[in-house]
Structure formats: C-alpha cells, structure tokens
Amino acid sequence: TQLLEQSPQFLSIQEGENLTVYCNSSSVFSSLQWYRQEPGEGPVLLVTVVTGGEVKKLKRLTFQFGDARKDSSLHITAAQPGDTGLYLCAGRRYNQGGKLIFGQGTELSVKP
Amino acid sequence: DVKVTQSSRYLVKRTGEKVFLECVQDMDHENMFWYRQDPGLGLRLIYFSYDVKMKEKGDIPEGYSVSREKKERFSLILESASTNQTSMYLCASIKYNEQFFGPGTRLTVL
C-alpha cells in the first residue's frame, strides 16, 4: 500500500497548456516536498511546504499544502518543453527524523 | 555546491555476485540514505545512517546491507545479487530538511 498516492502517473500535454499533479494521503505530514528528476540524474528539490493551507510559487509552478496536511498539489501554468521530467512528492512524518516517504511520481511530457 | 557522487552510473552483474555501490558526499552531512527507484513505485528507502557506524533499516532492507566507516562515505552491499534487485539505486544526504541526491546507479542483474 502506497502511503502517498500521486496522480496522474503519466501526463502528456502540448506546450502552453496548464496541468495539476496531486499527492494524497490518509496520513498527516509535518512537511511535504516536491522534487523534479531529469533522465540520468537524481531528484532535485523544488519546494518545501510546512504550514497547512500554505501556497508557494516558483515562477510558473504553484504548490499548495492541504489544510489538514494530508495532501498537496503542484500546478504548472503554460507548460514548456523544459518542464518535462519526473515530479515526485515526498512527505515527512512527525518524529521520523530526516526520513521521507515518496509518491510514485508523475512522468510529465510537454510537446512543442 | 553540495555534491553527492556515486561510484558507477551503470553496472551489470550476474546472479549470486557480491555487489558494492559506493556513495560519497562532500558537505559533512551526518545523515545519508540509500533508495531504490522502480517505475510506478517511486523511491523506496533501503537503509539510512545518522552517523558513522550507525545504520537503520528502511522499508525494504531484505537482501541488502550497508557500511558507514567514514562520515562522507555510505556503501550499499548486495551480498548475493538476484534478478529482482535490478533497479536504479539512489544515494542521498540531508541538510536543513533538503535531501541532496547523487546521479544514481542503474544496476542490472543477469
């Protein structure tokens, strides 16, 4: 059973479209992170959200942490081919130190 | 810049071989992690270490062991490789709530 359910697992869109990736759980997290991974490389941190209801923006990317700290979303506006990659959400539970629980990942392909 | 390096990008081994995957970080981080990444499953934690000579099992430790003799180096050992251990292996170290990953080792066990 996956503790963090990420959806969709695959997304293929045209340049300029908007998209949203969801990360859901029945567990409460102290914080939630989003990573992006390009082929042949390790994941790289995009953002950390800590407070329930928090919204963070990174250029065309908007991240939201659910009010109950059980879910998160990543919204990309006007996607570009450079956004292509694997997006991973990762949650940290209370009293678990530095350990992260990862979602399955969303493979995003943005076609010109 | 934080740098996490892994000894090999690609590795092909035979069933039953002993396999060593090495990871080195240059930022004096105390916490280090080994994950395996498989399509549709995300990253799953194999082992982690909070300090030299300290190790704790993650979610899928069976078939693996680790060694941390120096702070900067964390090794993953497959005592007797099996085909179901064919995967991408990622090492990470952590500082201030951010995990820094190496480029990964794609291991194929024939």
Side-chain angles (χ1 to χ4, degrees):
Chain A
T1 304
Q2 192 81 18
L3 200 59
L4 262 178
E5 292 287 340
Q6 199 170 329
S7 62
Q9 289 197 35
F10 300 95
L11 200 50
S12 181
I13 61 172
Q14 294 295 130
E15 182 175 1
E17 290 185 24
N18 301 334
L19 68 112
T20 303
V21 178
Y22 299 94
C23 187
N24 295 300
S25 177
S26 56
S27 297
V28 176
F29 294 99
S30 62
S31 65
L32 201 133
Q33 298 181 322
W34 286 90
Y35 289 79
R36 179 165 171 261
Q37 184 178 18
E38 297 192 38
E41 301 297 331
V44 175
L45 180 67
L46 295 173
V47 78
T48 301
V49 284
V50 179
T51 307
E54 182 176 4
V55 177
K56 280 192 175 178
K57 293 196 177 212
L58 192 66
K59 296 184 182 177
R60 293 175 294 99
L61 278 61
T62 302
F63 305 86
Q64 184 161 9
F65 200 14
D67 291 340
R69 309 164 77 101
K70 294 181 179 181
D71 54 87
S72 181
S73 63
L74 157 61
H75 182 79
I76 301 180
T77 304
Q80 298 176 3
D83 295 326
T84 293
L86 179 69
Y87 290 82
L88 294 154
C89 64
R92 173 172 285 106
R93 289 191 289 184
Y94 292 96
N95 302 319
Q96 292 285 299
K99 287 174 59 178
L100 292 175
I101 296 167
F102 283 84
Q104 307 99 315
T106 295
E107 191 77 54
L108 172 64
S109 174
V110 183
K111 302 187 188 312
Chain B
D1 267 359
V2 174
K3 198 149 178 89
V4 180
T5 56
Q6 295 184 228
S7 51
S8 306
R9 296 296 290 264
Y10 299 93
L11 212 51
V12 180
K13 295 292 181 181
R14 295 211 173 272
T15 301
E17 281 193 75
K18 190 168 186 175
V19 182
F20 292 87
L21 302 182
E22 304 284 340
C23 174
V24 178
Q25 50 96 2
D26 66 356
M27 284 301 292
D28 203 35
H29 292 170
E30 292 182 347
N31 299 348
M32 296 186 73
F33 303 81
W34 273 107
Y35 296 91
R36 63 177 282 176
Q37 182 176 27
D38 300 287
L41 296 177
L43 276 68
R44 292 179 292 166
L45 182 63
I46 305 171
Y47 266 96
F48 60 103
S49 170
Y50 285 131
D51 205 345
V52 174
K53 295 193 186 296
M54 293 182 68
K55 60 186 179 185
E56 286 195 36
K57 293 179 180 179
D59 300 317
I60 52 163
E62 296 77 22
Y64 303 95
S65 62
V66 290
S67 172
R68 186 130 183 240
E69 296 297 319
K70 292 185 178 181
K71 193 173 188 178
E72 66 270 19
R73 187 180 299 269
F74 191 32
S75 303
L76 181 69
I77 303 155
L78 287 67
E79 294 290 341
S80 178
S82 63
T83 54
N84 63 13
Q85 292 178 309
T86 291
S87 186
M88 169 69 87
Y89 289 88
L90 289 163
C91 173
S93 65
I94 189 170
K95 181 120 180 150
Y96 300 133
N97 208 32
E98 178 177 354
Q99 291 206 5
F100 297 90
F101 287 87
T105 296
R106 185 163 292 284
L107 172 67
T108 301
V109 182
L110 301 175

